[in-house]
Amino acid sequence: MKRGFFCRDPRDVARDLLGTILVNGPVAGRIVETEAYLAEGDPAAHAYRGRTKRTEVLFGPPGYAYVFRTRQHACLNVVAQPAGVPGCVLIRALAPVAGVDIMRERRGDVADSRLTDGPAKLCQAFDIDIRHYGVDLCDGVDPHLEEGPACDARDVVAGPRVGVGAAMTLPLRYYVADDSFVSRRT
DNA sequence: CTTACGATTCCC
DNA sequence: GGAATCGTAAGG
């Protein structure tokens, strides 16, 4: 995945990221749901309250991983836009492509359909956590992103984001219509 | 040092 | 509907 891909508005990156393949060693999956977090005017974005140790990587160059914890779970984002502009895209769900058996071991006793249908679930299935904070997702070293079969633009749906405290109804969430791994249908 | 609070998930 | 549970950030 070329770094230039991420050097754009988070909304465009979020939409175009659908279909991209996330790889981490033996496990891989096709992204089917994302959310954009804007660099400016977005109270729900972590970078909204400024630059801190936690949000530091958001202000760096695009294509790097911004991993954060909420409660006891980790979530994976990709930094978008040029250095100094803290936009990012949250990877909310993906469809398993390889290593399903390993995902089952990591996720415990859950149905296959719930292996990776949520931002924290996919991190657990892919063994991604805070230790991946700031890693380059464009350098080919795991974990990394690869171009996948482009999904039909007509299948892409936009809607309100999930679980954000600051009530934001802008359509910043993108997902593949009718995909069974999308975390929630609206 | 102390307190408040989640970009979630799973179980009752 | 509610608890789990811990790092981060802000305030004293």
Side-chain angles (χ1 to χ4, degrees):
Chain A
M1 200 98 237
K2 295 178 182 176
R3 194 173 311 284
F5 176 89
F6 301 99
C7 208
R8 301 181 288 150
D9 186 292
R11 284 163 287 210
D12 296 326
V13 176
R15 183 194 61 229
D16 295 342
L17 216 38
L18 298 178
T20 297
I21 308 296
L22 174 66
V23 181
N24 191 25
V27 300
R30 177 175 47 83
I31 297 173
V32 298
E33 180 184 350
T34 58
E35 276 178 1
Y37 286 86
L38 310 182
E40 290 183 30
D42 185 359
H46 288 167
Y48 184 71
R49 309 204 177 274
R51 189 169 182 155
T52 65
K53 183 176 182 181
R54 181 205 198 190
T55 60
E56 186 70 29
V57 71
L58 289 172
F59 291 82
Y64 286 77
Y66 167 53
V67 181
F68 69 90
R69 281 184 65 114
T70 177
R71 285 290 193 279
Q72 55 266 59
H73 301 289
C75 295
L76 172 68
N77 297 249
V78 189
V79 178
Q81 299 183 277
V85 187
C88 70
V89 174
L90 170 69
I91 298 177
R92 283 196 58 86
L94 45 75
V97 167
V100 176
D101 49 340
I102 295 174
M103 295 186 200
R104 290 195 189 103
E105 291 177 20
R106 291 172 177 164
R107 289 280 295 127
D109 186 26
V110 302
D112 281 5
S113 61
R114 294 185 182 165
L115 245 23
T116 55
D117 64 336
K121 295 180 187 179
L122 69 89
C123 280
Q124 185 181 16
F126 278 62
D127 189 31
I128 288 173
D129 60 32
I130 201 67
R131 72 182 187 282
H132 298 293
Y133 181 92
V135 303
D136 190 357
L137 296 172
C138 299
D139 61 3
V141 177
D142 290 330
H144 71 279
L145 292 165
E146 293 179 3
E147 280 189 40
C151 64
D152 193 321
R154 288 167 299 186
D155 291 334
V156 177
V157 182
R161 292 178 295 191
V162 176
V164 294
M168 286 274 297
T169 53
L170 295 178
L172 298 178
R173 171 177 180 247
Y174 300 85
Y175 57 97
V176 178
D178 303 325
D179 190 289
S180 63
F181 283 92
V182 168
S183 68
R184 184 183 162 191
R185 258 153 286 244
T186 49

